[in-house]
Amino acid sequence: MDHTDEKEVRLKGINVSPGICIGKAYLVGKEGVDVVNKYYISQDNLQNEIKRFKSAVKRAKDKLQEIIETTPEELRQHIHILETHKVLYKDKMLYGRTIETMEKELVNAEWALKQVVSNVKRMFDNMTDPYLQGRAADIVQVSESIMQNLMGAKALDIGAIRKRVILVASDLSPAETSQIQLEKIKGLITDLGGKTSHTGIIARSLEIPAVLGLERATHLIKNDDIVIVDGTAGCVIVHPTDQTLVEFEERQSNYERYKAVISRHSHLPAETVDGIKLEVLANIELPEEVVSVINYGGDGIGLYRTEFQYLSRLQFPDEHELFDNYKDVVEVMAPRSVTIRTLDISGEKGLSYASDPDEKNPVLGLRGIRYCLKNPDVFKTQLRAILRASAYGRVRILFPMISRHEEVLAAKKLLANTADSLDKEGIDFDDNIEVGIMIEVPSAAIMADVMAKDIDFFSIGTNDLIQYSLAVDRVNRQVSHLYQSLNPAIIRMIKHVADVAKNNNVEACICGEMASDPMNLPILLGLGIDRLSMNPQSIPIIKKTIRSLNVKDTGLFITDILKETSETGVMKILMGAYGNILQDTGYKHDKGVLTNLSTGGENSI
Ligand code: PEP
Ligand code: MG
């Protein structure tokens, strides 16, 4: 490969879609819409200007409709995302406010649109949640296509790219991403966007390596620069040296080989050497992810995070909309089970239309079940939709952020009332629906024996359980070294919950990120956990690792682990006993550092 003498530059972004690719950069920009002039219009011309705006919206919407109609078969499951964008064109916040601004300030349509969009952006920027930032991106993308039509600028035509390249863009809308032709585009890098952005989701299902959120990629990369995209580690290397190229070519072929082996066996059951079958389920955030759950061999959905549908809009969704959404997922997954978690919002994962911006400590605030119990109408609407969907497959309900027994009782009471009213209306639902709670707050773990009497299953949310138990913010980089899943305190807490579950004959599942790392499996199995739920991509490697473990052995091994007093001690014992197995199942052991090829994560031993 030809390359220049320019210095190698490494950029760190968000690992959105795994895999490695090497190629030439191809920058795509939205020319002509950056500079927007302001001018005033007379009262007489106002209606004409509004008409001009409306017809730009119509043209942008028609173009999107055309994209929807010509979307290739493999992307049909994402039509829903494009449909969401179609609705945004007429959103009050964007459409209504732009017209209002034109009327009030008598300014041109472009200027009014620009003002409205920067206000929306500012509002969303004050919220730290990546979901919300993703939703702001949706609005910006929609507004850009209107702006292109208003200004007569040329729209980005990704479908017309003729070379095998790596796309570099400031941001790509789902409509643009869905036009990517796999034989032309090797990888994708953008300045904006994150893991839960729609663009990220589409990239994952196209299985092209993608690193988003690089901030300055479009400034630092020029057309035809040689670029390496490591979508597994979330890193991009510009002007790689010969040595780096050789290293990454090797990594690339290792990864492809690993992926081929892994996916060949993804549909085999997760059965241990001594014949114990475990359930390996998926965590999803959007209905369209069910396709990848099935492709990756998921036994069902262990955690459907329903916040997304509330966050991607500007007012509460109604029962009908929620029901349609849940029913789609339940029907596609049937007869496999779908665990639907009720709304887990907080000031951080807040709703622009319903959260209190003054909450000082949102993760300890009016979050999850606390919010729902305080807003019974919102809660009941969701419960009705979930119950109605339960008539179409196997649905389980999961309550988040439980910290007190009274919350379980109150939530169940509301569920029973909701079921009663559906019954009276003659609407079908599963009247034996299983009810579970998230164990993600230490008080719930400690009180698990009390909780167990009133529920059918526990779902241990280690993401928050670690955060709350070790008092380590899960998104604060400064303390990320203290965020330890194998800290003895966490292992003991999981043990307590697993023991309580066994003694009370209720199920215990782990649905935090901890479940998706093969390294943790000998310990989780040893603690008696037999259900795991994780991001769909991790399912094959986890099933493969389970097939090489022996539950009886892990049961003996756990007694040694429980004697350890530090995470380092735990790791040492773990590697001594299982280092070889973990290497065989996708970990590359190199100079005391184990690199997980499936996630790119590193664990020192
Ligand atoms: C958890 O806390 O582990 C969990 C699965 O929930 P979330 O990541 O949505 O907070
Ligand atoms: Mg949680």
Side-chain angles (χ1 to χ4, degrees):
M1 192 169 283
D2 55 326
H3 59 107
T4 64
D5 295 330
E6 285 195 71
K7 233 175 132 233
E8 176 176 302
V9 181
R10 294 191 177 219
L11 310 171
K12 186 84 187 109
I14 301 163
N15 52 338
V16 158
S17 178
I20 292 172
C21 65
I22 304 172
K24 284 188 176 173
Y26 185 94
L27 270 86
V28 285
K30 289 168 185 156
E31 273 109 49
V33 294
D34 288 343
V35 186
V36 173
N37 292 321
K38 176 181 184 181
Y39 55 88
Y40 290 98
I41 43 170
S42 66
Q43 190 70 47
D44 291 347
N45 268 333
L46 178 62
Q47 284 318 315
N48 275 343
E49 188 66 4
I50 292 177
K51 224 194 248 155
R52 192 168 74 84
F53 172 68
K54 286 185 176 171
S55 79
V57 172
K58 186 172 179 312
R59 279 197 305 277
K61 215 171 146 192
D62 288 349
K63 174 71 193 162
L64 183 60
Q65 182 58 32
E66 197 187 307
I67 292 174
I68 290 175
E69 281 161 18
T70 54
T71 296
E73 205 43 51
E74 66 270 22
L75 284 176
R76 301 276 338 154
Q77 84 254 30
H78 294 306
I79 291 288
H80 162 91
I81 295 176
L82 304 186
E83 295 285 354
T84 311
H85 270 205
K86 228 171 80 189
V87 174
L88 280 180
Y89 279 107
K90 282 286 168 73
D91 192 278
K92 229 171 102 202
M93 190 118 157
L94 187 69
Y95 184 83
R97 294 254 167 94
T98 304
I99 295 178
E100 250 170 61
T101 308
M102 285 157 70
E103 286 168 345
K104 257 197 224 137
E105 298 180 22
L106 291 175
V107 287
N108 57 320
E110 290 90 342
W111 187 256
L113 178 63
K114 193 178 168 194
Q115 294 311 105
V116 167
V117 174
S118 29
N119 283 340
V120 171
K121 260 166 73 182
R122 211 171 307 124
M123 192 178 94
F124 281 88
D125 278 352
N126 289 335
M127 301 173 186
T128 50
D129 184 73
Y131 283 121
L132 279 183
Q133 281 158 357
R135 304 299 58 79
D138 287 338
I139 293 177
V140 172
Q141 287 159 354
V142 164
S143 74
E144 269 172 4
S145 66
I146 302 174
M147 194 67 96
Q148 272 159 359
N149 275 289
L150 274 173
M151 299 174 81
K154 229 172 126 276
L156 194 54
D157 190 1
I158 296 207
I161 297 174
R162 294 274 163 257
K163 301 181 264 183
R164 286 272 294 150
V165 289
I166 290 170
L167 270 193
V168 184
S170 166
D171 193 15
L172 284 180
S173 69
E176 286 155 354
T177 314
S178 69
Q179 292 172 63
I180 285 179
Q181 293 175 32
L182 282 179
E183 66 279 12
K184 306 274 164 46
I185 311 292
K186 294 181 172 185
L188 180 64
I189 58 192
T190 64
D191 293 340
L192 305 173
K195 232 180 201 140
T196 54
S197 68
H198 287 133
T199 304
I201 291 164
I202 295 178
R204 277 202 291 281
S205 67
L206 285 170
E207 299 194 12
I208 52 172
V211 179
L212 308 189
L214 282 153
E215 291 173 5
R216 289 175 47 78
T218 51
H219 290 96
L220 298 167
I221 302 173
K222 296 185 298 299
N223 266 331
D224 291 333
D225 277 352
I226 303 293
V227 179
I228 299 175
V229 180
D230 183 344
T232 311
C235 117
V236 168
I237 303 169
V238 196
H239 313 304
T241 61
D242 286 341
Q243 199 189 342
T244 308
L245 274 174
V246 171
E247 184 195 323
F248 274 83
E249 275 158 7
E250 193 194 325
R251 278 202 207 183
Q252 184 180 21
S253 53
N254 281 347
Y255 179 79
E256 312 257 296
R257 215 173 313 126
Y258 155 82
K259 212 172 120 191
V261 173
I262 284 288
S263 43
R264 221 178 297 142
H265 300 121
S266 64
H267 290 276
L268 294 178
E271 185 170 341
T272 61
V273 174
D274 49 343
I276 312 278
K277 256 197 205 137
L278 273 80
E279 275 198 80
V280 181
L281 308 150
N283 295 352
I284 62 162
E285 273 132 28
L286 285 171
E288 42 278 349
E289 286 176 292
V290 291
V291 178
S292 61
V293 175
I294 292 170
N295 289 344
Y296 284 114
D299 297 320
I301 289 172
L303 173 64
Y304 179 4
R305 292 180 167 105
T306 57
E307 299 76 77
F308 205 92
Q309 211 187 344
Y310 290 73
L311 292 166
S312 59
R313 53 188 309 122
L314 302 160
Q315 67 271 331
F316 283 108
D318 63 23
E319 176 188 323
H320 189 69
E321 204 179 316
L322 293 171
F323 164 68
D324 274 351
N325 187 318
Y326 304 155
K327 178 171 165 274
D328 277 355
V329 174
V330 172
E331 280 183 332
V332 176
M333 290 308 294
R336 306 172 191 89
S337 66
V338 177
T339 301
I340 305 182
R341 183 174 75 181
T342 58
L343 194 53
D344 182 18
I345 46 160
S346 65
E348 183 208 26
K349 240 193 236 175
L351 307 181
S352 52
Y353 48 92
S355 51
D356 171 8
D358 294 331
E359 233 185 353
K360 291 272 182 304
N361 220 336
V363 274
L364 301 179
L366 193 61
R367 179 182 169 179
I369 200 71
R370 303 172 182 176
Y371 179 90
C372 286
L373 291 175
K374 196 158 180 223
N375 295 279
D377 290 343
V378 174
F379 196 27
K380 275 192 197 155
T381 304
Q382 187 180 31
L383 292 175
R384 275 180 71 91
I386 299 174
L387 283 173
R388 285 176 57 196
S390 72
Y392 296 83
R394 189 164 164 231
V395 175
R396 297 155 35 117
I397 294 190
L398 177 60
F399 296 129
M401 253 316 260
I402 295 287
S403 59
R404 300 176 318 133
H405 183 226
E406 295 94 308
E407 288 163 346
V408 181
L409 300 179
K412 281 190 67 177
K413 194 166 165 202
L414 269 167
L415 178 64
N417 292 345
T418 312
D420 273 355
S421 43
L422 284 176
D423 212 15
K424 287 199 186 100
E425 291 165 47
I427 298 174
D428 269 357
F429 64 94
D430 172 5
D431 51 10
N432 269 321
I433 196 160
E434 288 171 72
V435 176
I437 55 168
M438 292 285 293
I439 300 283
E440 51 187 345
V441 179
S443 59
I446 291 164
M447 297 295 280
D449 53 329
V450 177
M451 312 277 189
K453 311 278 185 254
D454 292 298
I455 48 100
D456 303 297
F457 64 97
F458 291 136
S459 199
I460 308 175
T462 48
N463 303 341
D464 278 317
L465 190 62
I466 297 168
Q467 152 163 282
Y468 293 130
S469 305
L470 303 180
V472 179
D473 184 342
R474 67 193 249 191
V475 292
N476 182 343
R477 282 182 195 210
Q478 305 268 20
V479 287
S480 61
H481 61 292
L482 299 173
Y483 188 91
Q484 305 172 325
S485 12
L486 293 182
N487 183 295
I490 301 300
I491 297 176
R492 287 179 193 205
M493 209 166 304
I494 297 175
K495 180 180 184 325
H496 174 67
V497 178
D499 289 349
V500 167
K502 202 162 150 212
N503 294 338
N504 287 275
N505 214 9
V506 304
E507 256 174 34
C509 172
I510 303 254
C511 67
E513 280 302 301
M514 188 177 179
S516 65
D517 192 338
M519 171 111 118
N520 300 327
L521 284 181
I523 293 179
L524 295 179
L525 264 61
L527 291 171
I529 297 292
D530 56 7
R531 284 170 73 89
L532 301 158
S533 193
M534 63 206 64
N535 65 75
Q537 290 90 334
S538 298
I539 292 174
I541 179 69
I542 291 295
K543 284 180 120 182
K544 186 171 189 279
T545 313
I546 290 172
R547 286 195 289 271
S548 61
L549 293 172
N550 182 317
V551 173
K552 224 180 264 140
D553 290 351
T554 60
L556 296 173
F557 151 81
I558 204 73
T559 37
D560 288 337
I561 288 287
L562 289 167
K563 287 183 203 141
E564 288 304 320
T565 53
S566 68
E567 193 189 50
T568 321
V570 169
M571 292 291 272
K572 214 186 246 154
I573 306 258
L574 177 61
M575 285 309 130
Y578 287 98
N580 287 343
I581 288 184
L582 293 173
Q583 267 184 66
D584 283 352
T585 54
Y587 271 93
K588 195 171 139 251
H589 195 255
D590 187 18
K591 297 185 203 95
V593 174
L594 277 181
T595 303
N596 181 346
L597 293 175
S598 64
T599 63
E602 282 188 356
N603 294 293
S604 308
I605 57 163

